[in-house]
Amino acid sequence: PLSLRTAETRAEMYRNSTEVKMSQIVLPCHANHRGELSVGQLLKWMDSTACLSAERHAGCSCITASVDDIHFEHTIGVGQVVNIKAKVNRAFNSSMEVGIMVSCEDLFANRQWKVCNAFATFVARHTDEGKVQLKQVMPQTQEEQTEYSVAAERRRMRLLHTEIMKDLLGNGPKGRVDFDDAVPSERTRVESVELVLPPHANHQVNTFGGQIMAWMENVATIAASRLCNAHPTLRTIDMFHFRAPSQVGDRVVLKAIVNNAFKNSMEVGVCAEAYRGRETPRHINSAFMTFEVLDAEGNPRNLPRIKPEPLDGPRRYREAIARKKIRLDRKYIISCKQTEVPLSVPWEPSNQVYLSYNNVSALKMLAARTNWVLTSEKNKVNLYTLEENQVLCFKVETHVDIAAKRVFALLSDLTRRKEWDRHYKHCEMINQVDEEDAIYHVITPSVSKTNKGQDFILLASCRTPCNSGDPYLIALRSVTLPTHPPTEDYIRGEIFCAGFSILEPEGLDFFKFCVSYYNQASPGVLPYISNDIAGLSSGFYNSFCSCSKFLEENKESRATADSTAF
């Protein structure tokens, strides 16, 4: 149809107002000894592109506050083209998250591939009028809506990073480690000083953040080379955290040392300090970089073990083990495509933050989809379906005349769901994880010829709105617990992504709130909803009518506080 072609043309013509692109051809002066683009040079280009995007949104000067973890999937050779795209995903008061995508282009082979992506946080600098209050980002596409929603969860993870490290170190192994035949870490120590000159400064006369990151990558590479006596390849950078600025005329001291060496990789800790004259050096940045050494076939070589130096060495050694655990959790739970993650992931305190992130993010991404198909409509209860890549998802939606905060308080207490949902025969809270997360054991009636009911171990992650216009969220996903293994009494079911979104939609009365229930149907869930989707049953209509009645009857009740159930 003409209208559809017009919509597609508009989508192709649309470009985010904060989007900035940079393309650079890799010259020999940008490369290392292997003819590959220096990671330090790439970091400079990435920071420049992201800064320009942030300033386009803010309308004033911005500074880099941090850069999240970066995993480099491929190297880039001389003669190839680096394409960098950056855009603001979301603004928070005076800070904003900028998404960065890096790809490589081979002009002669006419092909492109992804190199890495990153998320940087920029802060708008004070103007003559005082502190800057950033305008909100208005997402226009499904992709932008998804990034906008998930940015709030990434921000939450950044703020909890220190607590995660403390928990891992507190629960880590305490036994003695044998360091016979290990290389002393002192042998890998590197210290280098740089004088900040005008070419190193940005347009704000501060040392360019990308330049500092490049200097840090240089000394970290030297430290890694001293352990393996070879040329290492940088694979991962744990968050750059800019603690303070430096200016032209400062001396920047870069320090690096190998903290720990694992079978095929090593972690190098690197920090930057700045001083002028006789003043005490101030800590301005730190990061942790993971290197590998590749053989002729491109496979990681085994590395020698490291012996930590006295005093502070054992702490850095243990922290490197904790950070490796965090990296594995992120790769296993967050970075994988949804189709690559098993339905049920083992829950433990060390990976709780990442499971919670994955739980909420999956629901937000499902809710952001725009290609839902209306399957049935009955008395203002709508059932939608979405089928992609052999995965069936469904959404049930209605409206209630009850404040969203109250609806959230009632629905977030899963132990009360059996009062309105016939699919919940029994629900018990197993673990009160924190104020926003809890784990439940749910038992459902039998839908099979064996007459056995199903049971589920569910992580419930509840979120209140971050800004006006955001929904209340109750995200559910299956986890496994050693204390609650499958039993012969029930068939263990699994849920990958489900939950509620409660939102005040535009154009309705103030107390007319939209309640949506989402579910990415797994084999354990399909028997309960297949008849509804086929139009042979009204089970979900009846459940949502019961839900509306439950909410209406309890909207004035004080049995549940007007907050989350946790």
Side-chain angles (χ1 to χ4, degrees):
L2 180 61
S3 60
L4 179 59
R5 289 200 299 270
T6 303
E8 290 174 348
T9 302
R10 288 176 179 172
E12 291 174 1
M13 293 174 60
Y14 168 75
R15 180 170 177 178
N16 188 299
S17 61
T18 69
E19 183 178 286
V20 174
K21 295 181 178 180
M22 176 186 289
S23 293
Q24 298 278 357
I25 190 164
V26 179
L27 302 175
C29 61
H30 302 140
N32 57 24
H33 57 283
R34 291 193 300 268
E36 299 168 350
L37 173 64
S38 161
V39 173
Q41 180 62 60
L42 177 59
L43 291 170
K44 288 184 185 180
W45 289 338
M46 291 171 64
D47 189 55
S48 294
T49 311
C51 183
L52 293 174
S53 174
E55 293 185 343
R56 177 175 286 183
H57 179 73
C60 63
S61 298
C62 296
I63 56 176
T64 314
S66 65
V67 180
D68 288 3
D69 303 350
I70 307 173
H71 176 70
F72 298 97
E73 299 180 18
H74 301 282
T75 56
I76 304 171
V78 170
Q80 294 176 331
V81 174
V82 180
N83 295 311
I84 305 172
K85 182 170 69 174
K87 61 183 177 66
V88 177
N89 291 331
R90 186 160 185 165
F92 305 94
N93 296 325
S94 61
S95 68
M96 70 203 92
E97 179 191 275
V98 180
I100 310 166
M101 175 65 71
V102 181
S103 63
C104 181
E105 179 181 0
D106 189 323
L107 297 173
F108 300 101
N110 192 28
R111 66 186 186 95
Q112 295 191 39
W113 58 92
K114 176 186 171 185
V115 175
C116 68
N117 68 294
F119 300 98
T121 301
F122 282 81
V123 176
R125 298 193 69 184
H126 289 206
T127 63
D128 295 337
E129 288 76 27
K131 188 175 182 179
V132 175
Q133 179 69 39
L134 294 171
K135 61 184 178 182
Q136 288 298 313
V137 172
M138 303 300 291
Q140 300 296 319
T141 66
Q142 179 180 302
E143 179 187 355
E144 290 177 3
Q145 180 61 53
T146 300
E147 292 296 345
Y148 177 88
S149 298
V150 178
E153 277 303 295
R154 284 191 288 262
R155 182 172 185 253
R156 181 176 180 269
M157 276 212 308
R158 293 179 197 113
L159 298 175
L160 290 173
H161 181 77
T162 302
E163 295 181 23
I164 299 169
M165 283 294 299
K166 288 181 180 178
D167 290 342
L168 283 173
L169 291 173
N171 298 319
K174 303 293 193 301
R176 184 180 178 276
V177 180
D178 183 12
F179 292 111
D180 292 343
D181 301 323
V183 177
S185 61
E186 270 298 311
R187 187 183 299 175
T188 69
R189 183 181 293 278
V190 179
E191 182 172 319
S192 180
V193 65
E194 299 281 355
L195 174 62
V196 181
L197 300 173
H200 302 139
N202 57 24
H203 53 298
Q204 305 161 35
V205 200
N206 290 326
T207 312
F208 175 42
Q211 179 64 69
I212 294 175
M213 290 190 285
W215 284 337
M216 294 172 71
E217 184 268 338
N218 176 61
V219 294
T221 302
I222 296 172
S225 300
R226 287 180 175 174
L227 174 67
C228 58
N229 298 320
H231 296 299
T233 298
L234 179 59
R235 286 300 187 200
T236 304
I237 300 176
D238 284 14
M239 181 184 291
F240 282 107
H241 185 191
F242 289 85
R243 302 172 185 271
S246 63
Q247 291 81 34
V248 172
D250 282 349
R251 279 70 172 167
V252 176
V253 179
L254 294 310
K255 299 177 181 179
I257 191 170
V258 176
N259 291 330
N260 205 333
F262 307 100
K263 182 179 179 180
N264 301 120
S265 65
M266 70 185 96
E267 182 196 272
V268 179
V270 56
C271 73
E273 299 175 340
Y275 71 94
R276 182 172 299 199
R278 297 183 179 180
E279 69 181 19
T280 303
R282 58 191 185 277
H283 187 184
I284 61 171
N285 203 338
S286 59
F288 302 93
M289 304 186 186
T290 302
F291 290 86
E292 294 176 347
V293 178
L294 306 180
D295 60 21
E297 285 74 39
N299 299 314
R301 282 171 34 186
N302 289 346
L303 298 175
R305 296 167 61 241
I306 199 82
K307 179 181 180 181
E309 62 174 346
L311 301 177
D312 209 29
R315 175 188 62 80
R316 292 199 304 269
Y317 184 91
R318 293 192 304 271
E319 288 181 350
I321 296 173
R323 278 186 291 271
K324 183 182 180 185
K325 173 68 167 61
I326 290 174
R327 284 192 294 272
L328 290 174
D329 285 340
R330 285 175 173 166
K331 181 179 180 181
Y332 181 63
I333 298 171
I334 297 175
S335 301
C336 293
K337 297 178 181 178
Q338 292 190 5
T339 54
E340 297 174 352
V341 182
L343 285 178
S344 189
V345 177
W347 179 91
E348 56 185 64
S350 64
N351 70 4
Q352 157 58 24
V353 170
Y354 308 112
L355 277 173
S356 181
Y357 170 87
N358 178 274
N359 194 14
V360 176
S361 300
L363 180 60
K364 286 184 173 182
M365 287 188 281
L366 189 58
R369 303 305 295 270
T370 57
N371 50 341
W372 293 98
V373 177
L374 180 63
T375 302
S376 67
E377 181 179 6
K378 185 175 181 180
N379 293 338
K380 298 183 180 180
V381 176
N382 298 339
L383 173 63
Y384 300 84
T385 58
L386 187 157
E387 187 173 2
E388 283 187 353
N389 301 321
Q390 298 182 334
V391 175
L392 176 66
C393 304
F394 65 90
K395 172 176 73 169
V396 186
E397 188 173 271
T398 191
H399 295 88
V400 296
D401 293 318
I402 305 168
K405 185 177 181 181
R406 184 63 181 156
V407 175
F408 176 67
L410 290 165
L411 295 183
S412 60
D413 185 356
L414 293 193
T415 60
R416 300 195 65 181
R417 185 160 168 175
K418 61 181 182 290
E419 297 180 34
W420 60 269
D421 189 348
R422 63 185 178 85
H423 297 123
Y424 270 54
K425 184 177 179 181
H426 175 77
C427 182
E428 171 193 6
M429 183 188 290
I430 300 172
N431 187 348
Q432 180 76 67
V433 178
D434 54 35
E435 293 181 353
E436 297 180 306
D437 296 81
I439 300 176
Y440 293 87
H441 182 211
V442 176
I443 298 175
T444 64
S446 170
V447 290
S448 65
K449 296 179 181 179
T450 63
N451 291 323
K452 282 187 177 183
Q454 285 197 112
D455 69 338
F456 299 81
I457 305 298
L458 299 181
L459 171 65
S461 304
C462 299
R463 299 290 188 271
T464 56
C466 184
N467 293 109
S468 60
D470 288 350
Y472 289 85
L473 289 174
I474 304 164
L476 305 171
R477 68 157 295 152
S478 288
V479 294
T480 58
L481 285 177
T483 55
H484 290 72
T487 65
E488 295 183 357
D489 298 329
Y490 301 101
I491 300 171
R492 176 58 54 87
E494 295 187 324
I495 292 175
F496 181 77
C497 173
F500 290 93
S501 170
I502 305 142
L503 177 67
E504 177 191 355
E506 296 180 3
L508 293 177
D509 295 336
F510 181 75
F511 286 106
K512 200 74 170 178
F513 292 92
C514 180
V515 179
S516 303
Y517 175 75
Y518 298 87
N519 199 310
Q520 181 175 315
S522 62
V525 174
L526 278 173
Y528 296 99
I529 53 96
S530 56
N531 285 340
D532 291 84
I533 293 173
L536 303 176
S537 171
S538 300
F540 266 94
Y541 167 74
N542 295 330
S543 294
F544 255 62
C545 287
S546 298
C547 179
S548 298
K549 183 179 178 181
F550 165 78
L551 295 172
E552 184 67 30
E553 290 175 348
N554 292 275
K555 67 179 181 180
E556 304 297 339
S557 171
R558 307 309 301 171
T560 306
D562 282 339
S563 60
T564 69
F566 308 142

